[in-house]
């Protein structure tokens, strides 16, 4: 089925989740992502085996997901920045107990209550685990409608494959925008690999246990290393980035999500002016596609990190480059959405300042 | 011919309990294991232990167990039960867990009428962390955070969580019992049996609050702790069926 | 007509006993005492005073000691 549909971003996430086998959703209202739980309430009601719960709190929602995941369901919750902070307890428990779940963060301006405009202020929180303890969360950063579908499908797959929480890091702009998308075919739940760890009653087998309390320090250390080894595997297997016009580029913009989309427009304009500019867009923020960036530093000596915050992914870019190239930064926090023209201006001023026009 | 008339129940592993001498938790564990065995539901019961002394309950029950973050037992149990409605799901929680940090989760699970059973162990203190004031600490009771005893003006009064839950529309069966005497232990077992039966019949939310001795933190001998439940704790938390809408 | 009263017997697992003495407090015939020797954990476990072959055994196997034992340290036999 590759019929193109015109759909709102939040609906794309919801419909794809259902097609990817999500049968449990719990969430709490918060702007700018309410269209997603609203969609899920209807979609789950249409399914014989679907459950939607409007939870009393973000904490309750993530813990319901924790329970549904223990019971073997593909489960999801969603929220926006302040709500995601509240969910961190449960996300840490999911990571510790090695349970799959998908969490959608439709980022808004912050800190605190901030505002409800699109922002990328939660990069650190998302990519560094977010909750307490030594863990990471897989973070996927869609930039357009089709990718909302593709990455939502992947999110469920990765969550099950690695038994770990996966976050889809979107923003209000993506959630609201209507775009043509091709949705994946619905999966057959019965064909998914069995989960031999699920709690479904000890029928004909000894009782199973899912927990995160490990009082013995040596065992806890081993568990920490086990998780770390898993993150290494994840880093090797799924790190992804898109490159755009980078073949002959002397200057590369690094941006993700909505910022990358705006940057692309800026790059097109800069190209029209004859500047050799390209875009590198991390699609996975954790694992960060550091190898692609490092390799690019052989030919590119100037990078511009553009984020809708005051500089968070900037750290990861610098860590990836290990001082090999110059890193510039342009940020618009607070929910301000730049224009492609604005980015083109930033690009060209840096381009000329660095004398990149000279061969 | 001699017969065994009392032995370890089937779903209780032969592991020594880590609880302090005279602690009520393990009596309650055993009663639950007996009920699970008698009702023949051991192979379809999923338990949710809390944070607190009873977190290690999973070391003792020989059934499926999934640990909840502090206070979130009812929410987690909700998730399990909604996915597996034909299984029996219980959450086991202490007073701090259920009546302080997890109040919201508990009230709303009850109000939605989640078809789960909650075992609420009230020992009027935070046991594992060393005897701090719990929401259920009695007025005048000493704790490590209420010097001179709990004072209503300074610390607030004990909370009647079970009574609060009873006014939710989804709660079907709520009873307060104790495990400080043979008679009360037998009544507690009956109450747990009834709560599980409520769930098996799909009637809705059931909760048994159990007054339980914590001799270590009360700084009493185990036998005195049981007496103190009779003489003092029951003045604040009287034993009774608080709500019964089983018809 | 003589009514034959059934005899009972308990076995206390002294390794599991933590010396709360709930059993002593409920035994109607006061057949449980505190042991003079401590167990591995350092508790002085409860000790049942009757032996199997004893005449005129008083234990009825009422099981109250086992019902209140927090450590499932008591098994009860009757008959």
């Amino acid at each position: 089925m590759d019929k193109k549909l015109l759909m709102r971003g939040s609906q794309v996430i919801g419909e794809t989740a259902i097609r990817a086998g999500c049968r449990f959703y719990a969430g709490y209202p918060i702007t700018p992502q309410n269209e997603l739980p609203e969609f899920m309430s209807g979609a789950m009601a249409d399914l014989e085996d679907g459950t939607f719960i409007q939870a009393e709190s973000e904490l309750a929602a993530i813990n319901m997901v924790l329970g549904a995941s223990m019971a073997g369901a593909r489960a999801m919750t969603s929220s926006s920045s302040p709500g995601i902070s509240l969910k961190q307890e449960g996300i840490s428990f999911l990571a510790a107990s090695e349970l799959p779940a998908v969490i959608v963060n439709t980022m808004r301006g912050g800190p605190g209550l901030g505002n409800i405009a699109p922002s990328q202020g939660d990069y650190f929180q998302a990519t560094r685990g977010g909750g307490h303890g030594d863990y990471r969360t897989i973070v996927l950063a869609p930039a357009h409608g089709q990718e909302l579908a593709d990455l939502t499908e992947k999110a469920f797959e990765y969550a099950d494959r690695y038994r770990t929480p996966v976050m889809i890091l979107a923003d209000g702009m993506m959630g609201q925008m209507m775009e043509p998308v091709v949705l994946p075919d619905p999966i057959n739940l019965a064909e998914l690999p069995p989960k031999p760890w699920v709690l479904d009653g000890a029928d004909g087998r000894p009782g199973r246990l899912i927990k995160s309390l490990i009082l013995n320090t040596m065992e806890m250390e081993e568990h920490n290393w086990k998780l770390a080894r898993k993150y290494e595997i994840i880093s090797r297997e799924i790190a992804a980035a898109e490159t755009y016009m980078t073949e002959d580029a002397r200057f590369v913009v690094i941006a993700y999500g909505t910022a990358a989309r705006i940057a692309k427009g800026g790059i097109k304009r800069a190209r029209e002016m004859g500047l050799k500019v390209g875009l590198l867009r991390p699609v996975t923020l954790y694992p960060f596609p550091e190898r692609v960036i490092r390799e690019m530093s052989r030919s590119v000596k100037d990078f511009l990190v553009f984020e809708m915050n005051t500089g968070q992914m900037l750290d990861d870019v610098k860590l990836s480059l290990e001082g090999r190239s110059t890193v510039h930064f342009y940020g618009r926090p607070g929910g301000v959405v730049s224009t492609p023209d604005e980015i083109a201006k930033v690009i060209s001023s840096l381009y000329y300042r660095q004398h990149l026009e000279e061969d | 011919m001699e017969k065994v008339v009392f032995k370890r129940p089937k779903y209780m592993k032969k592991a020594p309990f880590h609880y302090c001498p005279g602690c009520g938790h393990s009596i309650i564990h055993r009663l639950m294991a007996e009920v699970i065995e008698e009702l023949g539901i051991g192979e379809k019961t999923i338990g949710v232990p809390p944070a607190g002394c009873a977190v290690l309950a999973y070391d003792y029950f020989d059934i499926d167990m999934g640990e909840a973050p502090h206070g979130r037992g009812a929410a987690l149990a909700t998730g399990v039960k909604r996915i597996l409605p034909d299984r029996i799901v219980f959450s086991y929680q202490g007073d701090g867990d259920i009546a302080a940090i997890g109040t919201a989760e508990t009230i709303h699970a009850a109000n939605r009428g989640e078809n789960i059973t909650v075992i609420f162990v009230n020992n009027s203190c935070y046991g594992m962390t060393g005897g701090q004031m719990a929401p259920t600490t009695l007025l005048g009771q000493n704790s490590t955070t209420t010097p001179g005893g709990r004072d209503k003006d300074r610390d607030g009064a004990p909370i009647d969580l079970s009574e609060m839950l009873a006014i939710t529309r989804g709660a079907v069966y709520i009873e307060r019992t104790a495990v400080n005497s043979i008679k009360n232990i037998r009544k507690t077992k009956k109450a747990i049996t009834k709560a599980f039966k409520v769930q098996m019949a799909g009637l809705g939310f059931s909760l048994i609050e159990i007054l339980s001795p914590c001799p270590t933190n009360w700084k009493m001998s185990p036998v005195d702790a049981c007496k103190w439940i009779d003489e003092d704790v029951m003045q604040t938390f009287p034993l009774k069926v608080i709500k019964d809408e089983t018809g | 007509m003589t009514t034959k009263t059934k005899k009972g017997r308990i076995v206390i697992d002294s390794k599991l006993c933590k010396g709360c003495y709930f059993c002593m407090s409920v035994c109607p015939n006061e057949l449980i005492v505190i042991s003079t020797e401590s167990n591995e954990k350092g508790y002085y476990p409860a000790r049942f005073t009757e032996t199997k072959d004893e005449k005129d055994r008083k234990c009825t196997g009422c099981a109250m000691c086992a019902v209140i034992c927090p450590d499932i340290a008591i098994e009860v036999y009757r008959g």
Side-chain angles (χ1 to χ4, degrees), chain A residues 138-140 158 162 231-242 281-292:
Chain A
I138 293 176
V139 184
L140 308 177
Y158 292 159
Y162 301 112
Y231 302 141
E232 274 172 32
I233 293 168
I234 290 171
S235 299
R236 269 203 307 277
E237 292 183 348
I238 71 163
E242 180 205 19
R281 176 174 72 87
V283 174
T284 56
L285 299 181
Y286 188 87
F288 194 67
E290 50 187 25
R291 227 185 46 199
V292 190

Side-chain angles (χ1 to χ4, degrees), chain A residues 89 200 205 208 210 212, chain B residues 64-65 67 69 72 87 112:
Chain A
E89 171 195 77
D200 56 359
R205 58 164 175 81
R208 280 183 192 146
I210 295 179
S212 62
Chain B
D64 278 5
M65 300 283 274
E67 172 198 275
R72 319 290 171 228
R87 306 302 201 280
R112 285 191 305 269

